[in-house]
Amino acid sequence: MRAGLFGGTFNPIHKGHLMAAQRVLHQFNLDHLYIIPCRKPPHKSSAYLAPVSDRIRMIQLALPEDARYRLSEVEVQRGGPSYTIDTVEHFRTGIIPGADLFLIMGMDAFLEIHTWKSQRRLLESVQPVVVTRHHGADREETRDDVSRMGSYIHSRLSADYGFNAERTCWRNDGGNCIHLLPTPPVAISSSQIRQRIRAGKAIADLVPQAVNAYIEKKELYQ
């Protein structure tokens, strides 16, 4: 069993999230990909968050009709700050024990992973997949990302990781892997969407149609 864990506020979920999820699903041949909205992010202010019930509903509306995609409310039901290690342990020991777990994140999040709760245990339990926002064919940008991640891994995490250029990943003697996955650029962010809504601008090109309709109906982010 191979499963992806894709956490975040999803405030709101948008086409960029879905493109990244699809890319990881196919690249790593996943059996399941779990979308995991958090109740309260530990590294961000929660003042701007839409109600969790609305964020969950938007995810339900956005997910493709594909049984491999699954919504998990584990962090919502847990309450309190959402620490990734607790979520990983929930899946590793209770939901899909023995599965190979891939943790999907952006570059900015990965470059702060040394500050996360129990980061050493986390890196032993999952394989981070760092999704970038540019074409993999752009070798210069990919080289920059490899250099940036390599420097960070060796200075902040462990010098034991060696780079595998063919697979674009770092691996240590214990078999733990960190992956870099370039993706086609998508100039979309949740904050951009919220700003456009407050400015009275359309967002139909940034989110799935059903999500756009739901935001309008509930008058979110105004």
Side-chain angles (χ1 to χ4, degrees), residues 54-142:
D54 289 321
R55 290 186 283 124
I56 287 173
R57 182 56 184 151
M58 287 188 283
I59 293 170
Q60 292 171 333
L61 292 170
L63 290 186
E65 293 183 3
D66 183 330
R68 293 174 298 177
Y69 288 90
R70 301 191 174 186
L71 167 65
S72 171
E73 298 182 31
V74 56
E75 294 191 353
V76 172
Q77 294 170 352
R78 183 189 305 133
S82 298
Y83 293 105
T84 301
I85 186 60
D86 298 330
T87 299
V88 168
E89 287 298 308
H90 169 80
F91 281 93
R92 191 175 68 85
T93 62
I95 304 301
I96 41 178
D100 292 328
L101 299 179
F102 297 82
L103 183 65
I104 305 163
M105 63 180 69
M107 180 70 80
D108 291 345
F110 176 73
L111 295 178
E112 294 182 347
I113 206 169
H114 68 284
T115 69
W116 291 16
K117 178 183 176 182
S118 304
Q119 57 93 358
R120 289 186 180 276
R121 181 155 56 95
L122 178 65
L123 293 173
E124 293 173 354
S125 303
V126 297
Q127 298 183 43
V129 178
V130 181
V131 179
T132 62
R133 295 183 178 181
H134 60 71
H135 288 291
D138 191 322
R139 295 181 180 180
E140 183 175 349
E141 287 190 324
T142 299

Side-chain angles (χ1 to χ4, degrees), residues 1-218:
M1 172 72 74
R2 297 165 66 85
L5 308 179
F6 192 0
T9 55
F10 299 106
N11 188 43
I13 190 169
H14 54 67
K15 291 181 179 179
H17 291 133
L18 298 174
M19 180 176 289
Q22 182 183 46
R23 178 96 166 107
V24 176
L25 185 75
H26 290 289
Q27 182 71 21
F28 294 93
N29 193 27
L30 302 183
D31 297 288
H32 299 299
L33 191 150
Y34 293 86
I35 303 293
I36 311 169
C38 66
R39 176 183 290 275
K40 182 180 179 182
H43 295 286
K44 297 180 181 180
S45 168
S46 59
Y48 65 92
L49 285 174
V52 68
S53 59
D54 289 321
R55 290 186 283 124
I56 287 173
R57 182 56 184 151
M58 287 188 283
I59 293 170
Q60 292 171 333
L61 292 170
L63 290 186
E65 293 183 3
D66 183 330
R68 293 174 298 177
Y69 288 90
R70 301 191 174 186
L71 167 65
S72 171
E73 298 182 31
V74 56
E75 294 191 353
V76 172
Q77 294 170 352
R78 183 189 305 133
S82 298
Y83 293 105
T84 301
I85 186 60
D86 298 330
T87 299
V88 168
E89 287 298 308
H90 169 80
F91 281 93
R92 191 175 68 85
T93 62
I95 304 301
I96 41 178
D100 292 328
L101 299 179
F102 297 82
L103 183 65
I104 305 163
M105 63 180 69
M107 180 70 80
D108 291 345
F110 176 73
L111 295 178
E112 294 182 347
I113 206 169
H114 68 284
T115 69
W116 291 16
K117 178 183 176 182
S118 304
Q119 57 93 358
R120 289 186 180 276
R121 181 155 56 95
L122 178 65
L123 293 173
E124 293 173 354
S125 303
V126 297
Q127 298 183 43
V129 178
V130 181
V131 179
T132 62
R133 295 183 178 181
H134 60 71
H135 288 291
D138 191 322
R139 295 181 180 180
E140 183 175 349
E141 287 190 324
T142 299
R143 282 197 299 268
D144 289 345
D145 286 337
V146 168
S147 176
R148 188 180 184 191
M149 284 182 63
S151 296
Y152 173 78
I153 290 169
H154 293 149
S155 64
R156 292 287 192 171
L157 303 181
S158 172
D160 295 335
Y161 283 90
F163 182 62
N164 184 320
E166 183 179 353
R167 298 194 176 192
T168 322
C169 74
W170 290 260
R171 184 183 181 94
N172 67 9
D173 292 338
N176 305 317
C177 293
I178 299 171
H179 304 271
L180 171 63
L181 183 62
T183 61
V186 180
I188 305 174
S189 69
S190 294
S191 59
Q192 173 196 12
I193 290 169
R194 297 193 301 271
Q195 291 170 0
R196 287 177 67 94
I197 291 171
R198 288 194 294 270
K201 298 180 180 179
I203 61 166
D205 57 330
L206 306 179
V207 299
Q209 181 178 358
V211 173
N212 185 44
Y214 185 87
I215 290 173
E216 290 181 348
K217 178 181 178 181
K218 299 284 289 191

